[in-house]
PDB file of all heavy atoms in Angstrom:
ATOM      1  N   ASN A  30     -76.927 -70.919 -69.753  1.00 98.00           N
ATOM      2  CA  ASN A  30     -77.849 -71.328 -68.716  1.00 98.00           C
ATOM      3  C   ASN A  30     -78.551 -72.582 -69.216  1.00 98.00           C
ATOM      4  O   ASN A  30     -79.381 -72.536 -70.095  1.00 98.00           O
ATOM      5  CB  ASN A  30     -78.904 -70.231 -68.452  1.00 98.00           C
ATOM      6  CG  ASN A  30     -79.992 -70.685 -67.518  1.00 98.00           C
ATOM      7  OD1 ASN A  30     -79.838 -71.681 -66.807  1.00 98.00           O
ATOM      8  ND2 ASN A  30     -81.134 -69.987 -67.526  1.00 98.00           N
ATOM      9  N   LYS A  32     -80.469 -74.599 -67.540  1.00 98.00           N
ATOM     10  CA  LYS A  32     -81.786 -74.853 -66.884  1.00 98.00           C
ATOM     11  C   LYS A  32     -81.833 -76.315 -66.411  1.00 98.00           C
ATOM     12  O   LYS A  32     -80.835 -76.852 -65.950  1.00 98.00           O
ATOM     13  CB  LYS A  32     -82.910 -74.501 -67.847  1.00 98.00           C
ATOM     14  CG  LYS A  32     -82.740 -73.136 -68.498  1.00 98.00           C
ATOM     15  CD  LYS A  32     -83.963 -72.693 -69.230  1.00 98.00           C
ATOM     16  CE  LYS A  32     -83.637 -71.375 -69.953  1.00 98.00           C
ATOM     17  NZ  LYS A  32     -84.790 -70.639 -70.301  1.00 98.00           N
ATOM     18  N   HIS A 120     -83.226 -65.365 -62.007  1.00 98.00           N
ATOM     19  CA  HIS A 120     -83.737 -65.659 -63.369  1.00 98.00           C
ATOM     20  C   HIS A 120     -85.266 -65.533 -63.344  1.00 98.00           C
ATOM     21  O   HIS A 120     -85.931 -65.887 -62.379  1.00 98.00           O
ATOM     22  CB  HIS A 120     -83.309 -67.066 -63.785  1.00 98.00           C
ATOM     23  CG  HIS A 120     -83.563 -67.312 -65.245  1.00 98.00           C
ATOM     24  ND1 HIS A 120     -84.813 -67.655 -65.724  1.00 98.00           N
ATOM     25  CD2 HIS A 120     -82.744 -67.252 -66.321  1.00 98.00           C
ATOM     26  CE1 HIS A 120     -84.727 -67.786 -67.045  1.00 98.00           C
ATOM     27  NE2 HIS A 120     -83.495 -67.540 -67.433  1.00 98.00           N
ATOM     28  N   GLU A 190     -82.848 -59.465 -69.253  1.00 97.00           N
ATOM     29  CA  GLU A 190     -83.531 -60.478 -70.066  1.00 97.00           C
ATOM     30  C   GLU A 190     -85.032 -60.174 -70.086  1.00 97.00           C
ATOM     31  O   GLU A 190     -85.727 -60.491 -69.120  1.00 97.00           O
ATOM     32  CB  GLU A 190     -83.348 -61.873 -69.433  1.00 97.00           C
ATOM     33  CG  GLU A 190     -81.923 -62.340 -69.342  1.00 97.00           C
ATOM     34  CD  GLU A 190     -81.851 -63.860 -69.311  1.00 97.00           C
ATOM     35  OE1 GLU A 190     -82.471 -64.465 -68.414  1.00 97.00           O
ATOM     36  OE2 GLU A 190     -81.212 -64.412 -70.180  1.00 97.00           O
ATOM     37  N   ALA A 194     -88.882 -62.521 -74.270  1.00 93.00           N
ATOM     38  CA  ALA A 194     -87.906 -62.975 -75.278  1.00 93.00           C
ATOM     39  C   ALA A 194     -87.207 -64.251 -74.872  1.00 93.00           C
ATOM     40  O   ALA A 194     -86.403 -64.798 -75.616  1.00 93.00           O
ATOM     41  CB  ALA A 194     -86.867 -61.858 -75.519  1.00 93.00           C
ATOM     42  N   ILE A 195     -87.506 -64.733 -73.656  1.00 93.00           N
ATOM     43  CA  ILE A 195     -86.776 -65.931 -73.190  1.00 93.00           C
ATOM     44  C   ILE A 195     -87.436 -67.206 -73.691  1.00 93.00           C
ATOM     45  O   ILE A 195     -88.601 -67.465 -73.395  1.00 93.00           O
ATOM     46  CB  ILE A 195     -86.705 -65.940 -71.638  1.00 93.00           C
ATOM     47  CG1 ILE A 195     -85.948 -64.721 -71.143  1.00 93.00           C
ATOM     48  CG2 ILE A 195     -86.066 -67.238 -71.147  1.00 93.00           C
ATOM     49  CD1 ILE A 195     -85.828 -64.619 -69.648  1.00 93.00           C
ATOM     50  N   GLY A 196     -86.678 -67.938 -74.478  1.00 86.00           N
ATOM     51  CA  GLY A 196     -87.143 -69.217 -74.974  1.00 86.00           C
ATOM     52  C   GLY A 196     -88.298 -69.120 -75.963  1.00 86.00           C
ATOM     53  O   GLY A 196     -88.949 -70.118 -76.291  1.00 86.00           O
ATOM     54  N   GLY A 230     -79.990 -61.107 -72.607  1.00 97.00           N
ATOM     55  CA  GLY A 230     -80.422 -62.503 -72.763  1.00 97.00           C
ATOM     56  C   GLY A 230     -81.817 -62.540 -73.302  1.00 97.00           C
ATOM     57  O   GLY A 230     -82.678 -61.710 -72.953  1.00 97.00           O
ATOM     58  N   GLY A 231     -82.091 -63.537 -74.129  1.00 96.00           N
ATOM     59  CA  GLY A 231     -83.433 -63.721 -74.690  1.00 96.00           C
ATOM     60  C   GLY A 231     -83.335 -64.081 -76.141  1.00 96.00           C
ATOM     61  O   GLY A 231     -83.174 -63.214 -77.007  1.00 96.00           O
ATOM     62  N   SER A 232     -83.366 -65.409 -76.396  1.00 93.00           N
ATOM     63  CA  SER A 232     -83.345 -65.936 -77.767  1.00 93.00           C
ATOM     64  C   SER A 232     -82.122 -65.470 -78.542  1.00 93.00           C
ATOM     65  O   SER A 232     -82.213 -65.235 -79.758  1.00 93.00           O
ATOM     66  CB  SER A 232     -84.641 -65.601 -78.499  1.00 93.00           C
ATOM     67  OG  SER A 232     -85.737 -66.243 -77.846  1.00 93.00           O
ATOM     68  N   LEU A 251     -76.423 -63.824 -71.862  1.00 98.00           N
ATOM     69  CA  LEU A 251     -76.853 -65.014 -71.121  1.00 98.00           C
ATOM     70  C   LEU A 251     -77.715 -65.804 -72.108  1.00 98.00           C
ATOM     71  O   LEU A 251     -78.660 -65.281 -72.671  1.00 98.00           O
ATOM     72  CB  LEU A 251     -77.665 -64.606 -69.872  1.00 98.00           C
ATOM     73  CG  LEU A 251     -78.181 -65.761 -69.008  1.00 98.00           C
ATOM     74  CD1 LEU A 251     -77.051 -66.631 -68.501  1.00 98.00           C
ATOM     75  CD2 LEU A 251     -78.956 -65.184 -67.788  1.00 98.00           C
ATOM     76  N   ILE A 252     -77.304 -67.069 -72.302  1.00 98.00           N
ATOM     77  CA  ILE A 252     -77.890 -67.851 -73.399  1.00 98.00           C
ATOM     78  C   ILE A 252     -78.504 -69.132 -72.871  1.00 98.00           C
ATOM     79  O   ILE A 252     -77.828 -69.907 -72.185  1.00 98.00           O
ATOM     80  CB  ILE A 252     -76.774 -68.210 -74.434  1.00 98.00           C
ATOM     81  CG1 ILE A 252     -75.970 -66.949 -74.817  1.00 98.00           C
ATOM     82  CG2 ILE A 252     -77.340 -68.871 -75.657  1.00 98.00           C
ATOM     83  CD1 ILE A 252     -74.521 -67.225 -75.157  1.00 98.00           C
ATOM     84  N   GLY A 253     -79.742 -69.365 -73.235  1.00 97.00           N
ATOM     85  CA  GLY A 253     -80.404 -70.594 -72.819  1.00 97.00           C
ATOM     86  C   GLY A 253     -80.335 -71.647 -73.917  1.00 97.00           C
ATOM     87  O   GLY A 253     -79.328 -72.341 -74.065  1.00 97.00           O
ATOM     88  N   GLY A 254     -81.405 -71.739 -74.715  1.00 97.00           N
ATOM     89  CA  GLY A 254     -81.508 -72.790 -75.758  1.00 97.00           C
ATOM     90  C   GLY A 254     -80.254 -72.972 -76.627  1.00 97.00           C
ATOM     91  O   GLY A 254     -79.810 -74.105 -76.841  1.00 97.00           O
TER      92      GLY A 254
HETATM   93  C1  PEP B  14     -82.322 -67.805 -70.456  1.00 82.10           C
HETATM   94  O1  PEP B  14     -82.787 -68.833 -70.043  1.00 82.10           O
HETATM   95  O2  PEP B  14     -81.743 -67.049 -69.647  1.00 82.10           O
HETATM   96  C2  PEP B  14     -82.448 -67.472 -71.870  1.00 82.10           C
HETATM   97  C3  PEP B  14     -82.047 -66.321 -72.295  1.00 82.10           C
HETATM   98  O3  PEP B  14     -82.990 -68.460 -72.701  1.00 82.10           O
HETATM   99  P1  PEP B  14     -83.074 -68.426 -74.312  1.00 82.10           P
HETATM  100  O4  PEP B  14     -81.720 -68.035 -74.800  1.00 82.10           O
HETATM  101  O5  PEP B  14     -83.451 -69.817 -74.682  1.00 82.10           O
HETATM  102  O6  PEP B  14     -84.111 -67.412 -74.648  1.00 82.10           O
END
Side-chain angles (χ1 to χ4, degrees):
N30 173 18
K32 312 190 186 200
H120 191 279
E190 298 205 303
I195 298 179
S232 296
L251 180 57
I252 310 149

